[in-house]
Amino acid sequence: MSSTPKEFLESNLNSIRSTIEASCQKAGRAPCDVQILGVSKTVEPDIMEQAFDLGIKEFGENRVQEYLRKSDILHRDCCWHIIGRIQTNKVKYLDSRVKLIHSLDRMELAEALSERGSKINHRFPVLIQVNVAGEETKAGISPQGAKDFALRVSRLGNIDIKGLMTIAPYTETPEEVRYVFRSIKQLSVDIMRERVENINMEVLSMGMSNDFHIAVEEGATMVRIGSALFGERVY
Ligand SMILES: *Cc1c(COP(=O)(O)O)cnc(C)c1O
């Protein structure tokens, strides 16, 4: 018997929630401290609306254009996050409808956001993307450079740093990338010690379908879940 899209989403969501609960139990954390961000790239709005009705109120898109298209047609009051690399020439499309930008990975982008923010009188909440494993194919600031980068960004206007984001290397055995999540957590503690007014480390955006159980054990406050919720993407 085949299930409806809603039943499919519901059963996926139940299993994601149980996994988060189990990881929290292991780590002595409260499950309500871990938010599920629905990664909706390539997912059509009608399916997103069903996920919304099941409790996923916030969605992450990796492309600005896709976010713009969907935010105009989605019939629900959801919150939007940008999680993918942002070209500087797309910053002009961003405004207060974006709740959080996860992918601040270079000074040029920070400067463009600051300029845009001052133009529209908005402070952009951002996460600094950190590339722990040093993978060349992935964006992000090196862990060694992250604190200096955060301090430089904090001197710009109209940007509030809310935490860190990372993408761990893909692996069949996620236990291997535990160190990635652990070092992001430690880095957030180090940066917090600087006590800078517009730097906060309340959000650790880490963990995807394949590895979120480990990320939650290591302190993730937001997990970015695509395929484990919506099914495998077909490009
Ligand atoms: C696609 C994507 C995800 C979700 O990936 P899944 O493995 O499908 O959960 C998370 N974060 C970023 C930045 C992505 O681009």
Side-chain angles (χ1 to χ4, degrees), residues 143-169:
Q144 299 75 22
K147 190 193 287 183
D148 272 355
F149 180 76
L151 293 173
R152 285 174 66 204
V153 171
S154 75
R155 287 182 212 116
L156 299 172
N158 300 83
I159 295 188
D160 288 317
I161 299 173
K162 298 290 188 191
L164 305 176
M165 180 273 232
T166 197
I167 304 174

Side-chain angles (χ1 to χ4, degrees), residues 39 41 62 83 165 167 208-209 224-227 233:
V39 174
K41 58 189 183 199
N62 66 337
I83 61 173
M165 180 273 232
I167 304 174
M208 308 181 10
S209 295
R224 305 181 309 271
I225 309 290
S227 49
R233 283 179 295 276

